[in-house]
Amino acid sequence: MKNGHAPLLSAEEVWALMRKEATPVADCEMVTLAQALARVLAQDVRAPITVPGFDNSAMDGYAFRAADAHGARELPLSLRVAAGDKPGALVPGTACRIFTGAPLPSGADTVVIQERCERRGDTLILPEQWTPHANIRRAGEDIRAGDLILTEGQALTPQAIGLAASCGFTEVLVRRRLRVAVLSTGDELRPAGSGPLVEGQIYDSNRPMLHALLGRLGCEVHAAGALGDDLTRTRQALREAAQTADVIVTTGGVSVGEEDHVKAAVEAEGTLSLWRVAIKPGKPLAFGRVGGTHFLGLPGNPVSAFVTFVLFVQPFLKAIMGATPTELRAFPVHAGFVRETPDNRREFVRARLVSRDDGTLWAQAHPRQSSGVLSSTVWAEGLIDIAAGRCVAEGDTVPFLPFEGVLI
Ligand code: AMP
Ligand code: MG
């Protein structure tokens, strides 16, 4: 397949083609909540208990029965209840000192916050106005026993882990981790830490970056190493990685230069689709299989590798992890830049947000959008998605795709 003949696809077409290939891994495992972050739930979770299990005070203050206090400005204090206590019933016509989270004694139905009350010895002086039934958190306000609290396919966030713990769970059933082998290719690459560079060499930035991106998605990363531009070695590395990995991700070597061997190696060891994606930054994106293992070949330019990971690799991996598909959700912001000449490719511009005094958000574009400028991805907080052929005037509404959230 010559690069010139590689089909030119839109991002939507690539997503659709990838989705077709994304069969979720079947194996599941129980993990403790401490290990559950970013893992994908393999079953729905229902609450075994009601939370909170009892009516309790939402504030530090005083509790009493509203009917007892109508017309009265004073009530004798007969009880003190702190969080964790098991109070008896409140004596009718009296009030109770109560603290946040403490169970409401039976007979009480109202809490007035302490700042609004006065106290003389064991007598409570009520404010002139108070609201019956206020400041109480009802049993079951959060969850009722039997409620569906988490759903299969949900990637577990810290909040979801907290919610599971609030129902007494210590473990959850999740899909097994994906095993992803990462390979970088290029004779010019040296791993950081291997000594100073000689002329013509660069440190390998893609491999550590991909490790970090994959780690954040909850994948188990297999370091398949860095390869020179050599067909035999590349074929061998692919064969080896395919024995254990669910997915192989490579960077570099998928163009059609004489030194680009990844394409030929995958074709020899498996099957390959090579697509030109009509986006910028973007280059040929390789997709295929080596044996039963998925193969994704990203461009070597670090920015292109990062952007294609965000746009294509992570939704694909999430689908194989069993995660319910979600849209890449962009939100509207004002363009703090202009674009007078339209591009014929959809462009993802590295940008950061600045909020103005009136509360509006404006996107600043990084001045150097070349795909070799990795520092721009550190500066940026996300990507502005500019449709092919679109000109942008200062203040126009443009969609902003934050890195946070997309990358979990
Ligand atoms: P390639 O896709 O192999 O033609 O590489 C395109 C550009 O990206 C070249 O300038 C490479 O030196 C650079 N590059 C490729 N792989 C890496 C890597 N792992 N880390 C940093 N730069 C890379
Ligand atoms: Mg190369």
Side-chain angles (χ1 to χ4, degrees), residues 36-159:
L37 186 63
R39 303 296 298 272
V40 176
L41 265 185
Q43 62 180 182
D44 288 347
V45 178
R46 288 193 178 273
I49 58 169
T50 290
V51 181
F54 49 90
D55 291 351
N56 65 92
S57 180
M59 304 294 279
D60 290 339
Y62 295 89
F64 51 88
R65 183 200 291 273
D68 290 349
H70 279 307
R73 286 292 311 276
E74 297 184 5
L75 289 172
L77 284 161
S78 66
L79 196 62
R80 181 182 189 279
V81 194
D85 286 352
K86 245 178 22 191
L90 183 66
V91 177
T94 71
C96 154
R97 177 70 169 127
I98 198 160
F99 299 93
T100 307
L104 200 65
S106 65
D109 60 10
T110 298
V111 171
V112 175
I113 63 172
Q114 61 190 20
E115 292 84 345
R116 304 209 48 231
C117 296
E118 230 185 283
R119 200 171 151 169
R120 273 189 223 124
D122 282 340
T123 303
L124 171 70
I125 319 290
L126 287 168
E128 272 179 32
Q129 289 187 336
W130 47 269
T131 314
H133 309 291
N135 301 315
I136 290 169
R137 300 191 289 219
R138 295 283 169 208
E141 178 182 282
D142 189 0
I143 296 158
R144 297 197 163 269
D147 279 356
L148 183 64
I149 55 162
L150 300 168
T151 48
E152 181 186 356
Q154 189 171 351
L156 291 163
T157 57
Q159 309 87 291

Side-chain angles (χ1 to χ4, degrees), residues 184-185 188-189 202-206 251-253 255 260 299-302:
S184 53
T185 71
E188 72 281 30
L189 300 180
I202 57 170
Y203 288 123
D204 183 343
S205 50
N206 289 345
T251 69
S255 307
D260 294 319
N301 276 312

Side-chain angles (χ1 to χ4, degrees), residues 280 337-343 345 347-349 386-387 390-394:
K280 201 172 155 186
F337 58 91
V338 292
R339 166 199 290 265
E340 279 156 353
T341 17
D343 202 290
R345 281 188 288 172
E347 185 169 357
F348 291 90
V349 173
I386 302 179
R390 179 173 179 189
C391 292
V392 177
E394 173 107 12

Side-chain angles (χ1 to χ4, degrees), residues 124-283:
L124 171 70
I125 319 290
L126 287 168
E128 272 179 32
Q129 289 187 336
W130 47 269
T131 314
H133 309 291
N135 301 315
I136 290 169
R137 300 191 289 219
R138 295 283 169 208
E141 178 182 282
D142 189 0
I143 296 158
R144 297 197 163 269
D147 279 356
L148 183 64
I149 55 162
L150 300 168
T151 48
E152 181 186 356
Q154 189 171 351
L156 291 163
T157 57
Q159 309 87 291
I161 290 168
L163 190 71
S166 78
C167 290
F169 289 102
T170 57
E171 297 180 324
V172 280
L173 187 71
V174 295
R175 303 264 184 172
R176 76 159 169 80
R177 277 169 178 280
L178 281 194
R179 297 184 281 265
V180 183
V182 176
L183 265 169
S184 53
T185 71
D187 281 337
E188 72 281 30
L189 300 180
R190 290 274 302 277
S194 64
L197 301 173
V198 299
E199 198 179 335
Q201 295 183 330
I202 57 170
Y203 288 123
D204 183 343
S205 50
N206 289 345
R207 213 149 50 99
M209 177 173 72
L210 287 169
H211 276 225
L213 286 164
L214 291 162
R216 207 148 115 162
L217 282 175
C219 299
E220 194 180 290
V221 184
H222 292 203
L227 293 175
D229 293 309
D230 176 279
L231 180 60
T232 313
R233 286 271 301 112
T234 308
R235 285 183 61 170
Q236 188 190 344
L238 290 175
R239 267 198 310 271
E240 281 168 14
Q243 289 183 355
T244 49
D246 301 300
V247 182
I248 300 170
V249 179
T250 66
T251 69
V254 286
S255 307
V256 285
E258 280 160 40
E259 298 296 338
D260 294 319
H261 300 292
V262 174
K263 187 170 84 74
V266 180
E267 279 169 339
E269 299 294 330
T271 53
L272 184 82
S273 307
L274 192 63
W275 305 318
R276 282 177 302 138
V277 191
I279 62 161
K280 201 172 155 186
K283 269 223 180 167

